[in-house]
mmCIF file of all heavy atoms in Angstrom:
data_model
loop_
_atom_site.group_PDB
_atom_site.id
_atom_site.type_symbol
_atom_site.label_atom_id
_atom_site.label_comp_id
_atom_site.label_asym_id
_atom_site.label_seq_id
_atom_site.Cartn_x
_atom_site.Cartn_y
_atom_site.Cartn_z
ATOM 1 N N LEU A 10 73.947 116.255 99.826
ATOM 2 C CA LEU A 10 74.845 115.346 100.560
ATOM 3 C C LEU A 10 76.177 115.273 99.925
ATOM 4 O O LEU A 10 76.295 115.343 98.608
ATOM 5 C CB LEU A 10 74.260 113.922 100.574
ATOM 6 C CG LEU A 10 72.983 113.600 101.358
ATOM 7 C CD1 LEU A 10 71.721 114.117 100.662
ATOM 8 C CD2 LEU A 10 72.817 112.103 101.584
ATOM 9 N N ALA A 11 77.195 115.095 100.699
ATOM 10 C CA ALA A 11 78.524 114.834 100.244
ATOM 11 C C ALA A 11 78.921 113.584 100.914
ATOM 12 O O ALA A 11 78.892 113.499 102.147
ATOM 13 C CB ALA A 11 79.545 115.957 100.475
ATOM 14 N N ILE A 12 79.278 112.522 100.137
ATOM 15 C CA ILE A 12 79.832 111.194 100.709
ATOM 16 C C ILE A 12 81.264 111.043 100.285
ATOM 17 O O ILE A 12 81.602 111.500 99.212
ATOM 18 C CB ILE A 12 78.946 110.097 100.425
ATOM 19 C CG1 ILE A 12 78.896 109.775 98.985
ATOM 20 C CG2 ILE A 12 77.475 110.179 100.928
ATOM 21 C CD1 ILE A 12 78.266 108.421 98.593
ATOM 22 N N VAL A 13 82.029 110.344 101.140
ATOM 23 C CA VAL A 13 83.358 110.116 100.847
ATOM 24 C C VAL A 13 83.645 108.623 100.763
ATOM 25 O O VAL A 13 83.123 107.792 101.535
ATOM 26 C CB VAL A 13 84.249 110.763 101.906
ATOM 27 C CG1 VAL A 13 85.686 110.534 101.666
ATOM 28 C CG2 VAL A 13 83.919 112.217 102.041
ATOM 29 N N PHE A 14 84.523 108.273 99.872
ATOM 30 C CA PHE A 14 85.001 106.879 99.810
ATOM 31 C C PHE A 14 86.161 106.767 100.814
ATOM 32 O O PHE A 14 87.168 107.543 100.694
ATOM 33 C CB PHE A 14 85.442 106.432 98.418
ATOM 34 C CG PHE A 14 84.264 106.389 97.345
ATOM 35 C CD1 PHE A 14 83.940 107.574 96.742
ATOM 36 C CD2 PHE A 14 83.616 105.247 97.240
ATOM 37 C CE1 PHE A 14 82.828 107.532 95.833
ATOM 38 C CE2 PHE A 14 82.481 105.178 96.363
ATOM 39 C CZ PHE A 14 82.065 106.379 95.703
ATOM 40 N N VAL A 15 86.034 105.806 101.680
ATOM 41 C CA VAL A 15 87.038 105.706 102.801
ATOM 42 C C VAL A 15 87.620 104.284 102.881
ATOM 43 O O VAL A 15 86.692 103.346 102.819
ATOM 44 C CB VAL A 15 86.387 106.236 104.122
ATOM 45 C CG1 VAL A 15 87.336 105.932 105.268
ATOM 46 C CG2 VAL A 15 86.119 107.674 104.069
ATOM 47 N N SER A 16 88.807 104.078 103.213
ATOM 48 C CA SER A 16 89.374 102.759 103.381
ATOM 49 C C SER A 16 88.778 102.276 104.767
ATOM 50 O O SER A 16 88.921 102.949 105.785
ATOM 51 C CB SER A 16 90.889 102.802 103.454
ATOM 52 O OG SER A 16 91.384 101.656 104.019
ATOM 53 N N SER A 17 88.220 101.027 104.723
ATOM 54 C CA SER A 17 87.734 100.464 105.965
ATOM 55 C C SER A 17 88.850 99.952 106.810
ATOM 56 O O SER A 17 88.670 99.667 107.958
ATOM 57 C CB SER A 17 86.777 99.320 105.691
ATOM 58 O OG SER A 17 87.382 98.268 104.993
ATOM 59 N N GLU A 18 90.115 99.960 106.253
ATOM 60 C CA GLU A 18 91.202 99.502 107.057
ATOM 61 C C GLU A 18 91.880 100.615 107.760
ATOM 62 O O GLU A 18 92.288 100.450 108.993
ATOM 63 C CB GLU A 18 92.273 98.822 106.064
ATOM 64 C CG GLU A 18 91.742 97.547 105.427
ATOM 65 C CD GLU A 18 92.608 96.946 104.464
ATOM 66 O OE1 GLU A 18 93.577 97.688 103.920
ATOM 67 O OE2 GLU A 18 92.452 95.752 104.113
ATOM 68 N N ASP A 19 92.047 101.759 107.212
ATOM 69 C CA ASP A 19 92.776 102.832 107.915
ATOM 70 C C ASP A 19 92.017 104.142 108.007
ATOM 71 O O ASP A 19 92.492 105.115 108.528
ATOM 72 C CB ASP A 19 94.177 103.014 107.304
ATOM 73 C CG ASP A 19 94.099 103.536 105.894
ATOM 74 O OD1 ASP A 19 93.068 104.070 105.384
ATOM 75 O OD2 ASP A 19 95.191 103.549 105.210
ATOM 76 N N GLY A 20 90.800 104.214 107.467
ATOM 77 C CA GLY A 20 89.978 105.369 107.603
ATOM 78 C C GLY A 20 90.351 106.561 106.702
ATOM 79 O O GLY A 20 89.870 107.699 106.841
ATOM 80 N N ARG A 21 91.280 106.373 105.796
ATOM 81 C CA ARG A 21 91.738 107.430 104.890
ATOM 82 C C ARG A 21 90.784 107.548 103.714
ATOM 83 O O ARG A 21 90.266 106.474 103.215
ATOM 84 C CB ARG A 21 93.114 107.243 104.362
ATOM 85 C CG ARG A 21 94.112 107.321 105.466
ATOM 86 C CD ARG A 21 95.547 107.234 104.910
ATOM 87 N NE ARG A 21 96.497 107.128 106.011
ATOM 88 C CZ ARG A 21 97.760 106.992 105.831
ATOM 89 N NH1 ARG A 21 98.273 107.023 104.683
ATOM 90 N NH2 ARG A 21 98.562 106.914 106.839
ATOM 91 N N ALA A 22 90.605 108.751 103.214
ATOM 92 C CA ALA A 22 89.844 108.914 101.985
ATOM 93 C C ALA A 22 90.623 108.294 100.821
ATOM 94 O O ALA A 22 91.846 108.433 100.744
ATOM 95 C CB ALA A 22 89.616 110.387 101.703
ATOM 96 N N VAL A 23 89.874 107.570 99.952
ATOM 97 C CA VAL A 23 90.462 106.842 98.781
ATOM 98 C C VAL A 23 89.587 107.127 97.545
ATOM 99 O O VAL A 23 88.411 107.507 97.638
ATOM 100 C CB VAL A 23 90.534 105.340 99.032
ATOM 101 C CG1 VAL A 23 91.575 105.057 100.221
ATOM 102 C CG2 VAL A 23 89.209 104.722 99.250
ATOM 103 N N GLU A 24 90.203 106.853 96.418
ATOM 104 C CA GLU A 24 89.398 106.933 95.133
ATOM 105 C C GLU A 24 88.411 105.800 95.088
ATOM 106 O O GLU A 24 88.708 104.790 95.697
ATOM 107 C CB GLU A 24 90.389 106.858 94.008
ATOM 108 C CG GLU A 24 91.240 108.051 93.805
ATOM 109 C CD GLU A 24 92.156 107.988 92.569
ATOM 110 O OE1 GLU A 24 92.018 107.072 91.799
ATOM 111 O OE2 GLU A 24 92.974 108.891 92.461
ATOM 112 N N PRO A 25 87.283 106.002 94.488
ATOM 113 C CA PRO A 25 86.323 104.900 94.361
ATOM 114 C C PRO A 25 86.977 103.715 93.620
ATOM 115 O O PRO A 25 87.846 103.919 92.748
ATOM 116 C CB PRO A 25 85.200 105.494 93.428
ATOM 117 C CG PRO A 25 85.379 106.936 93.519
ATOM 118 C CD PRO A 25 86.847 107.246 93.778
ATOM 119 N N PRO A 26 86.573 102.455 93.931
ATOM 120 C CA PRO A 26 87.080 101.369 93.139
ATOM 121 C C PRO A 26 86.769 101.514 91.702
ATOM 122 O O PRO A 26 85.794 102.128 91.318
ATOM 123 C CB PRO A 26 86.268 100.182 93.799
ATOM 124 C CG PRO A 26 85.849 100.653 95.088
ATOM 125 C CD PRO A 26 85.604 102.124 94.958
ATOM 126 N N ALA A 27 87.651 101.109 90.820
ATOM 127 C CA ALA A 27 87.608 101.283 89.393
ATOM 128 C C ALA A 27 86.214 100.992 88.800
ATOM 129 O O ALA A 27 85.707 101.829 88.007
ATOM 130 C CB ALA A 27 88.759 100.593 88.680
ATOM 131 N N PRO A 28 85.651 99.817 89.140
ATOM 132 C CA PRO A 28 84.395 99.460 88.438
ATOM 133 C C PRO A 28 83.264 100.379 89.042
ATOM 134 O O PRO A 28 82.326 100.668 88.199
ATOM 135 C CB PRO A 28 84.090 98.025 88.873
ATOM 136 C CG PRO A 28 85.155 97.624 89.811
ATOM 137 C CD PRO A 28 86.201 98.657 89.831
ATOM 138 N N VAL A 29 83.340 100.814 90.179
ATOM 139 C CA VAL A 29 82.338 101.727 90.729
ATOM 140 C C VAL A 29 82.455 103.063 90.088
ATOM 141 O O VAL A 29 81.540 103.700 89.672
ATOM 142 C CB VAL A 29 82.516 101.875 92.317
ATOM 143 C CG1 VAL A 29 81.654 102.950 92.879
ATOM 144 C CG2 VAL A 29 82.226 100.522 92.997
ATOM 145 N N LEU A 30 83.715 103.576 90.011
ATOM 146 C CA LEU A 30 83.991 104.845 89.332
ATOM 147 C C LEU A 30 83.417 104.831 87.872
ATOM 148 O O LEU A 30 82.783 105.725 87.399
ATOM 149 C CB LEU A 30 85.407 105.222 89.377
ATOM 150 C CG LEU A 30 85.786 106.533 88.794
ATOM 151 C CD1 LEU A 30 85.063 107.767 89.392
ATOM 152 C CD2 LEU A 30 87.324 106.770 88.880
ATOM 153 N N ALA A 31 83.730 103.800 87.181
ATOM 154 C CA ALA A 31 83.278 103.619 85.780
ATOM 155 C C ALA A 31 81.809 103.707 85.638
ATOM 156 O O ALA A 31 81.198 104.449 84.794
ATOM 157 C CB ALA A 31 83.809 102.367 85.227
ATOM 158 N N ARG A 32 81.057 103.035 86.552
ATOM 159 C CA ARG A 32 79.600 103.095 86.575
ATOM 160 C C ARG A 32 79.016 104.480 86.896
ATOM 161 O O ARG A 32 78.099 104.948 86.271
ATOM 162 C CB ARG A 32 79.040 102.031 87.381
ATOM 163 C CG ARG A 32 77.568 101.823 87.411
ATOM 164 C CD ARG A 32 77.003 101.532 86.103
ATOM 165 N NE ARG A 32 75.541 101.480 86.132
ATOM 166 C CZ ARG A 32 74.714 102.008 85.218
ATOM 167 N NH1 ARG A 32 75.295 102.434 84.046
ATOM 168 N NH2 ARG A 32 73.489 101.960 85.366
ATOM 169 N N LEU A 33 79.661 105.052 87.945
ATOM 170 C CA LEU A 33 79.224 106.435 88.289
ATOM 171 C C LEU A 33 79.406 107.395 87.133
ATOM 172 O O LEU A 33 78.548 108.215 86.862
ATOM 173 C CB LEU A 33 79.993 106.922 89.535
ATOM 174 C CG LEU A 33 79.678 106.174 90.872
ATOM 175 C CD1 LEU A 33 80.728 106.536 91.913
ATOM 176 C CD2 LEU A 33 78.261 106.574 91.251
ATOM 177 N N ARG A 34 80.521 107.335 86.445
ATOM 178 C CA ARG A 34 80.753 108.192 85.279
ATOM 179 C C ARG A 34 79.769 107.931 84.161
ATOM 180 O O ARG A 34 79.267 108.880 83.541
ATOM 181 C CB ARG A 34 82.202 108.021 84.756
ATOM 182 C CG ARG A 34 83.247 108.717 85.692
ATOM 183 C CD ARG A 34 84.671 108.660 85.151
ATOM 184 N NE ARG A 34 85.587 109.316 85.955
ATOM 185 C CZ ARG A 34 86.801 109.076 86.104
ATOM 186 N NH1 ARG A 34 87.312 108.005 85.410
ATOM 187 N NH2 ARG A 34 87.558 109.794 86.850
#
């Protein structure tokens, strides 16, 4: 699977939120 982080406001791909990214790393 490939999932994308997307803004719920405009539908654009965005970086993961900082705390989420830190935990994923």
Side-chain angles (χ1 to χ4, degrees):
L10 291 76
I12 63 170
V13 181
F14 293 90
V15 172
S16 165
S17 63
E18 294 175 344
D19 63 15
R21 292 184 191 184
V23 296
E24 292 182 4
V29 171
L30 181 58
R32 181 64 183 138
L33 290 167
R34 285 185 175 150

